[in-house]
Amino acid sequence: MQRQSDGPAIQPHQTPVSRETEQMADGRIAVIGTGYVGLTSGTCLAGLGHEVVCGDVDPAKVERMSRGEVPIFEDGLQELMRQGIAAGNLTFVHGARNAVRGAKFIFLCLPTPDGGDGRADLRIVHQVVAEIGPLLDPGAVLVTKSTVPVGTAEDITAALARDDVSVVSNPEFLQEGTAVRNFMKPDRVVVGSDDRAAAEAVAALYDKLNAPKVITSAESSELIKYASNAFLATKLSFINSIAGLAEVVGADVVEIAHGMGFDERIGDKFLKAGPGWGGSCFPKDTKALATIALDRGVSFPLLAATTLSNEEAQDRMADKVRDAAGGDLAGVKVALWGLTFKANTDDLRDSPALEVALRLDTEGARLRGYDPTVSQDLPAKNGYPAVPAAGDAYDAAAGATVIVLLTEWAEFAEIDLTKVAEVAPGAVIVDGRNLLDPQAAMAAGLRYVPLGRREARC
Ligand code: UGA
């Protein structure tokens, strides 16, 4: 779909539209689940002027949020949340039941973890639907916001067994770290339902954003979300494999991405090579889409290759660290710069940095990590090794043989490399995000190993 001109940017500091003018016409919104998606969506919907009640199972969290405390690290969220609370159109309550009473729109923002076999585990969604179904007002619209498999809207409709309640899919496209901006200035709003009027009513909640609206069947909407995430993951796996090839043939992946990105059919986004992609969405959604296809007997080999290529990117990063250490990591002190799955988040879930840490730990490396959002030692968890946390990047680097930059935090780009060379004389920096200036590293007396490009020599 053609991208329309950007709508008015609604910044967190702007005063929400008055309750009287907006919300009554639309009907009250309940948001069930105040994880990253629910809290951002609920707060932003309130920022658009709607009356929003967020319900969560955790009473202590509800109490903290009611005081304006944001439990996640998300730029601009706290300010917008406090504005909504102060304006009186954003409230937090304990339990789904308390949130849904009198609501016209009920957004389900519930966890849908990997069930272990690649399929999303929908038990929480179904439990909540069973709990709130009988309490919904006639004419209510149940909206699935979290990523759910194709057919979920239909399953919920069947489980509800209520002709007077509609079910609509409205997937989120929020990136951690820029979620408020993504919500307020979306590339598109996707809404899918077999009930066109209900879909249009949900789409109308976003009118102020003046974004392109894509109204589809529920199945298409559900699949748009998976297809978008899996496509982006595939793009990243592709450029990471190109990085591996570039190193062998003496090319430069940064130049290649630059040259490719001018082609509007390709686009210049999501072409930065790195230590693989991770986070709570791409790995889970790519596997889930592969399973959806498999379950329906549809061949989709690209998805398995996308995941495999990602594992290989992580392997290659560990290989580079081993090579930098002279071929053997046993007992070698390695500093990890960055632990989160990307910059500007405190999220460690499925972090490529931890995947690389695991590979290095298995070979006997002595790890020490620094991340701006990690203040305590990471315990061994979910198959990942324990990583002692340093107070800053220099502290982590002290005495290290190899420093590997894994997350593209801006503060690493500003680092004083002379000071690094003082605390880690003769160290090799393996730059897994091509973030540092190779000349500056060399001038400081450090060996610098980039990713997917030639190593600069003096
Ligand atoms: C992703 C999608 O981008 C969102 O549109 C989607 O709504 C969200 O998942 C979701 O399903 O909830 P997010 O998980 O926050 O958002 O992460 P991204 O910003 O997409 O980054 C994913 C991974 O790709 C990170 O590990 C990041 O470092 C890596 N990446 C991204 C690169 O290695 N290079 C790039 O050029 C871009």
Side-chain angles (χ1 to χ4, degrees):
M1 179 164 187
Q2 192 66 35
R3 195 183 159 157
Q4 294 171 1
S5 61
D6 288 318
I10 298 177
Q11 299 297 336
H13 62 266
Q14 290 182 336
T15 309
V17 178
S18 79
R19 295 175 62 177
E20 294 72 34
T21 51
E22 268 301 319
Q23 41 192 254
M24 295 310 165
D26 295 331
R28 193 159 72 68
I29 295 173
V31 173
I32 312 301
T34 56
Y36 154 74
V37 170
L39 184 56
T40 306
S41 302
T43 301
C44 290
L45 284 165
L48 294 179
H50 303 294
E51 185 182 354
V52 180
V53 178
C54 299
D56 199 280
V57 284
D58 179 347
K61 188 176 168 193
V62 168
E63 203 198 310
R64 284 203 309 278
M65 291 188 296
S66 299
R67 289 197 302 263
E69 283 177 32
V70 176
I72 53 172
F73 184 92
E74 195 57 61
D75 192 32
L77 188 58
Q78 179 145 35
E79 207 179 338
L80 195 57
M81 190 169 144
R82 288 184 176 168
Q83 285 175 4
I85 293 169
N89 66 332
L90 177 63
T91 48
F92 297 89
V93 296
H94 178 224
R97 289 164 171 269
N98 293 325
V100 301
R101 283 180 211 285
K104 163 83 178 165
F105 301 97
I106 299 91
F107 281 73
L108 299 180
C109 302
L110 297 160
T112 55
D114 182 345
D117 56 359
R119 292 173 184 81
D121 179 348
L122 289 178
R123 274 178 299 181
I124 298 174
V125 172
H126 285 300
Q127 271 164 22
V128 169
V129 169
E131 183 189 347
I132 64 174
L135 306 175
L136 301 179
D137 281 357
V141 181
L142 205 48
V143 186
T144 54
K145 193 74 173 156
S146 27
T147 307
V148 290
V150 183
T152 300
E154 199 184 338
D155 288 351
I156 291 177
T157 305
L160 268 177
R162 283 192 57 173
D163 291 342
D164 57 347
V165 173
S166 308
V167 180
V168 170
S169 157
N170 172 220
E172 53 85 16
F173 300 97
L174 307 175
Q175 284 176 272
E176 290 187 26
T178 54
V180 173
R181 205 182 329 141
N182 295 153
F183 191 101
M184 292 304 198
K185 230 176 164 189
D187 290 339
R188 77 301 208 187
V189 171
V190 176
V191 186
S193 180
D194 299 335
D195 179 340
R196 178 87 192 183
E200 283 174 358
V202 172
L205 296 172
Y206 300 90
D207 273 351
K208 274 205 160 62
L209 301 177
N210 196 22
K213 287 177 185 158
V214 184
I215 299 189
T216 67
S217 66
E219 290 79 5
S220 293
S221 171
E222 289 163 346
L223 203 45
I224 285 170
K225 173 59 196 272
Y226 279 107
S228 299
N229 272 4
F231 189 85
L232 290 170
T234 303
K235 194 173 181 186
L236 290 174
S237 278
F238 188 91
I239 200 66
N240 284 336
S241 294
I242 290 287
L245 181 60
E247 280 182 11
V248 174
V249 302
D252 184 322
V253 72
V254 177
E255 291 175 353
I256 296 166
H258 185 62
M260 288 169 68
F262 278 104
D263 187 327
E264 287 183 6
R265 295 167 303 171
I266 296 172
D268 61 358
K269 308 273 189 327
F270 273 63
L271 279 180
K272 283 200 185 111
W277 40 267
S280 64
C281 305
F282 280 5
K284 167 173 80 77
D285 292 352
T286 305
K287 280 188 201 135
L289 183 58
T291 310
I292 290 167
L294 185 72
D295 286 350
R296 307 293 208 282
V298 175
S299 172
F300 204 153
L302 192 56
L303 296 174
T306 291
T307 297
L308 179 63
S309 302
N310 195 41
E311 287 160 9
E312 289 183 353
Q314 290 154 0
D315 291 344
R316 274 198 300 276
M317 192 57 55
D319 292 346
K320 288 172 92 69
V321 177
R322 186 189 319 101
D323 289 350
D328 184 2
L329 281 167
V332 172
K333 201 170 167 199
V334 177
L336 310 173
W337 279 356
L339 297 166
T340 51
F341 83 99
K342 63 174 186 177
N344 304 319
T345 176
D346 58 355
D347 199 338
L348 295 161
R349 285 176 291 176
D350 275 326
S351 171
L354 297 182
E355 286 290 341
V356 174
L358 171 62
R359 286 157 173 76
L360 303 178
D361 178 75
T362 306
E363 294 188 39
R366 285 159 54 213
L367 304 177
R368 192 132 189 271
Y370 166 69
D371 189 284
T373 63
V374 175
S375 55
Q376 297 194 331
D377 295 347
L378 296 184
K381 198 174 162 192
N382 299 332
Y384 295 125
V387 179
D392 62 30
Y394 306 103
D395 184 18
T401 304
V402 185
I403 300 161
V404 53
L405 192 159
L406 294 164
T407 312
E408 72 284 24
W409 286 101
E411 72 170 73
F412 295 138
E414 308 290 312
I415 209 138
D416 180 345
L417 291 162
T418 308
K419 200 166 152 192
V420 173
E422 279 166 20
V423 297
V428 185
I429 297 187
V430 175
D431 187 352
R433 299 274 184 174
N434 290 323
L435 193 68
L436 306 182
D437 177 359
Q439 302 303 332
M442 281 191 308
L446 295 158
R447 192 180 142 208
Y448 175 81
V449 178
L451 173 68
R453 50 199 327 204
R454 280 187 210 187
E455 194 177 327
R457 306 265 176 211
C458 298

